[in-house]
Amino acid sequence: MEATEPSLGQYVASLKTSKALVRDREAFLERCRRKYQTPSLAGFPMVGLGGSCGKPAFLLPFVIRFDRDTVLALEAVAERFGMYVEYGAYPHLKLPDETEIAAVQDWTNATLVFLRPSYEHKEELLAAVAEALKP
C-alpha cells in the first residue's frame, strides 16, 4: 500500500500539541522535524503558521505595497470567491458568515498569505491572490 501525503489540515494539526505535552522536549523536537519539511500550495512554499490564528502562511515571490489598485484587485478576488475583505492591520478575506479564510500581510521584506487549511478552494484562492497582486 502506497503512503499518502497528509492533507494541509493534517500537517498543520501535527505541528500543534496538547496542554499535556507542552513541556515535552522530545515531542517538541519531533514537531520541529516536521516543521522543516513544509508543503507547498499552488507552487508557493509554506513558511510558517500564524501566531494567533494558527493558519499556514505561504510566501509570495514578490513584495507588495497596498494602494488603491492592489486593494481593488484583492476585493475583486474576494468577490469572485464569494467573500468580502475586512481591513485591520492587514486585509482578511471572509465568507458572508464571517469565517476568515485568508489574510494577506504586506511586510517590508515579504508578502505572506495565511490560509484556512479546511477551505476547499484554498489552492485556487492562493493562485488568484498571487496573480491579482503581482507587480
Side-chain angles (χ1 to χ4, degrees):
M1 181 178 215
E2 207 173 295
T4 60
E5 292 289 317
S7 71
L8 182 59
Q10 291 168 328
Y11 176 79
V12 169
S14 80
L15 298 178
K16 298 177 181 181
T17 192
S18 67
K19 182 76 170 157
L21 293 177
V22 295
R23 296 186 66 173
D24 185 326
R25 177 186 312 112
E26 295 308 313
F28 170 72
L29 292 172
E30 175 55 35
R31 289 192 308 278
C32 285
R33 283 188 279 283
R34 287 192 298 276
K35 186 170 57 179
Y36 305 139
Q37 298 174 356
T38 60
S40 293
L41 189 65
F44 301 102
M46 182 179 154
V47 294
L49 294 176
S52 62
C53 66
K55 290 181 187 67
F58 296 89
L59 179 66
L60 297 187
F62 48 81
V63 175
I64 65 156
R65 294 291 174 262
F66 282 113
D67 56 25
R68 183 166 302 281
D69 291 338
T70 53
V71 165
L72 290 174
L74 188 61
E75 287 178 359
V77 169
E79 186 176 322
R80 196 168 99 212
F81 283 83
M83 299 179 205
Y84 65 94
V85 178
E86 182 176 281
Y87 298 100
Y90 43 87
H92 300 265
L93 282 69
K94 292 188 168 187
L95 293 172
D97 69 1
E98 298 187 9
T99 301
E100 183 181 311
I101 300 299
V104 182
Q105 293 187 354
D106 57 330
W107 294 101
T108 58
N109 61 347
T111 299
L112 301 175
V113 179
F114 292 81
L115 285 172
R116 180 174 295 277
S118 61
Y119 180 61
E120 187 175 338
H121 303 288
K122 60 189 161 288
E123 191 162 356
E124 298 92 337
L125 178 61
L126 179 56
V129 166
E131 183 61 32
L133 297 179
K134 185 170 29 175

